[in-house]
Amino acid sequence: MWEKVKGFTADFFVTGDPLIYGADVSIVLTVAAIVFVLTYFKKWGWLWREWLTTVDHKKIGIMYILSAFLMLFRGGVDALLMRAQLAAPEMSFLTPEHYNQIFTTHGVIMILFMAMPFMFGLFNVIVPLQIGARDVAYPFLNALSFWLFFWGAMLFNLSFVIGGPPDAGWLAYPPYSEKMFNPGVGQDFYIWGIQISGIGSLITGINFIVTILKMRAPGMKLMKMPMFSWSVLSSCIAIIFSFPILTGTLALLFLDRYAGAHFFTLDGGGNPMMYINLIWMWGHPEVYIIVLPAFGIFSEIVATFSKKKLFGYKSMVYAMMIISVLSFLVWAHHFFTMGSGADVNAFFALTTMLIAIPTGVKVFNWLFTMFRGKITFQTPMLWTVGFIPCFVIGGMTGVLLSVVPADFQFHNSYFLIAHFHQVIIGGVVFGYFAGLYYWWPKMFGFKLNERIGKWAFWFWNIGFYLCFMPQYVVGLMGMTRRVASYGWDKGWWEMNLVSTIGAGLMGIAFLFQVWQIMHSAKRYKANLDTTGDPWNGRTLEWSIPSPAPHYNFAVLPQVSEQDDWWERKQRRERGETVRSDSHDSPKQEPIHMPRNSGTPFVMSLCWFVAGFGFVFDWTWFVVAGLAGVALCMIAHSFNYNTDYYIQVDEIERTEASARRGQADG
């Protein structure tokens, strides 16, 4: 009996690596600390009522962003481990097997479990406020989306200490990801972690399309909508067409592994190139899914800190929608070298070049917005200005990769790694940082410390260029991707050492950001936003107190033009009467709001249990998990107590308290 237990434990838990044992200890200590704090301060009930069961879009957005920061830490540690291994030739810091696992998990975590929740967090916090809505169209589904993402991410990350992580690359190409070459459970953790969180992503895409199209404030026509909301709409359109492809592709791979199907195995009549086509039919739109909202963020920040209306508003809208469509017509440039033929390569080379045009339009629009503007360089604007040269370089190298003969040289080299990170970090991560700094006061009611924020900005930027510029060089010198070690004779070590130093500086920059948040929270009274409009903003989210009340708007705003809040402030400065100042303003009425529900949390946990059962082929776990999902759906279908009204007296008390806070400020 004891021998069976020992055998099971040895197979179930990952053993034999000091790094893994360190992770085990840190996980146990962290969980114990959380349980102790919640128990000691008697906060379990508060946690359940205020957060685990909430359907408030603002709280859900905060939980998304917190999860993204945790995943940024995890993915960043993976990156530092890889750079430590490559800092010098013939390093043995990581074994080749461990290196494969780390670069696989790094890619998945950064794209799907860091960038996506960061993006969804900003969607949730800002879009309803920008369009004058009190919540999203489907609050229950919004909570379900978050918890599906969360438990999917937890299932994937669990593979680090249980069963073993995936090691077939972040896109899991067959035959490496097939059962014959990858018999462990790591690839199944990959499939089910992404599948569960991907369902949540698809639901979010549907939810925000409906929210934007159906819940805008009276008078806010589409061409009066803030640019960030436009970017969310274009991103969500791409989500609802691309994520079903990912779901179907991973389902086929799971059938190959679990049921002995042969969709992607050559010896069974399948074709691994079909998988690669399918995964990139999702994968390249995914790049634009995460970068389009960053474009919207930069548009808001540039206009606000230049104190000018955004230059070329309509061209920006058209550019975003064109990118959303063209993103589905470029996927084959990821495998020009497979030998598709001149006609196919020429078509995808042309579409890849074409998609650079609307991207370039936006850069010129931002520059013309800043031209002759009264620019102030506070932290959000610094991130925006830092993004522009970074993204331009990334875009230029992307056009180089669209030239088929050149791609035959660059393909699978560190030149491609540098280009990809130039676009994703310089575009996506810098964009979301800019949005976080910009909207932080609206989320929490206080500003972040500017001095520490500037230290973080400069460490991030200097570290970024030190890390990735040398990778263009070593790529041109012949260093290929996924190399776990190299010899002294290659001549790569100097550039790799500089790259590792740059990665370390970015790690320090992240610590500066953590310090900035803790320092600012500790001194929040000194950083308090008592105006609701600390940046002198242009859009509706700045017209209400910070943080926003539970119901967002006591009276739904009436919109008459683009940048309506800015125009109202300008009219007040000129002494003109504004509708909200006049005696015939609409009277307050009870506000209809959704009621909290624990069903999304429980249902998603049941999906986690089912996914865990599929990973280890534990039928009873699968049955229990799916039965729990079905019971949650049935119970919710009979739940009619889903909403309530906030009465006028409570609204008046909340508004009066906010006005007193502004007066005290």
Side-chain angles (χ1 to χ4, degrees), residues 634-651:
I634 293 169
H636 183 65
S637 68
F638 288 99
N639 178 23
Y640 300 103
N641 187 25
T642 58
D643 50 12
Y644 70 102
Y645 282 89
I646 301 177
Q647 297 304 316
V648 172
D649 57 346
E650 183 180 344
I651 300 168

Side-chain angles (χ1 to χ4, degrees), residues 383-593:
W383 285 101
T384 302
V385 173
F387 146 82
I388 291 176
C390 187
F391 198 77
V392 168
I393 294 170
M396 290 168 61
T397 54
V399 172
L400 287 175
L401 289 163
S402 74
V403 180
V404 180
D407 186 75
F408 270 70
Q409 303 301 316
F410 303 145
H411 186 80
N412 212 36
S413 75
Y414 258 76
F415 186 94
L416 178 62
I417 295 290
H419 156 73
F420 183 75
H421 285 83
Q422 186 104 40
V423 173
I424 296 299
I425 295 179
V428 176
V429 179
F430 284 11
Y432 295 166
F433 283 163
L436 183 66
Y437 284 110
Y438 183 57
W439 284 306
W440 184 277
K442 190 53 57 182
M443 286 189 273
F444 299 105
F446 64 93
K447 292 171 66 174
L448 292 172
N449 182 278
E450 283 284 315
R451 181 175 59 86
I452 305 174
K454 288 174 181 176
W455 277 98
F457 168 80
W458 286 111
F459 267 84
W460 261 108
N461 275 265
I462 294 170
F464 173 83
Y465 284 103
L466 277 178
C467 183
F468 294 107
M469 291 300 110
Q471 292 183 18
Y472 285 114
V473 178
V474 293
L476 293 174
M477 292 170 68
M479 184 172 177
T480 58
R481 302 160 64 190
R482 305 185 176 112
V483 169
S485 183
Y486 56 93
W488 288 97
D489 60 326
K490 299 293 186 181
W492 300 339
W493 76 269
E494 298 97 333
M495 291 290 101
N496 273 295
L497 179 60
V498 173
S499 183
T500 299
I501 293 170
L505 291 179
M506 287 192 285
I508 294 171
F510 178 79
L511 296 179
F512 269 113
Q513 289 177 306
V514 174
W515 176 32
Q516 180 188 18
I517 292 171
M518 294 173 64
H519 179 277
S520 303
K522 187 176 180 181
R523 296 166 175 79
Y524 79 97
K525 288 186 178 178
N527 302 309
L528 209 58
D529 171 25
T530 57
T531 66
D533 189 10
W535 311 117
N536 194 17
R538 308 180 71 84
T539 45
L540 289 178
E541 71 268 28
W542 304 112
S543 68
I544 57 178
S546 299
H550 177 55
Y551 48 79
N552 295 347
F553 298 91
V555 176
L556 290 180
Q558 299 282 330
V559 175
S560 58
E561 50 198 310
Q562 182 191 336
D563 290 346
D564 193 75
W565 173 238
W566 173 263
E567 297 299 335
R568 274 192 267 166
K569 290 189 293 186
Q570 295 300 105
R571 288 199 295 272
R572 286 197 189 102
E573 285 186 11
R574 294 193 297 265
E576 300 174 15
T577 300
V578 180
R579 176 178 172 81
S580 59
D581 300 331
S582 62
H583 295 294
D584 60 346
S585 297
K587 292 184 178 180
Q588 289 174 355
E589 296 177 350
I591 296 174
H592 180 244
M593 296 296 292

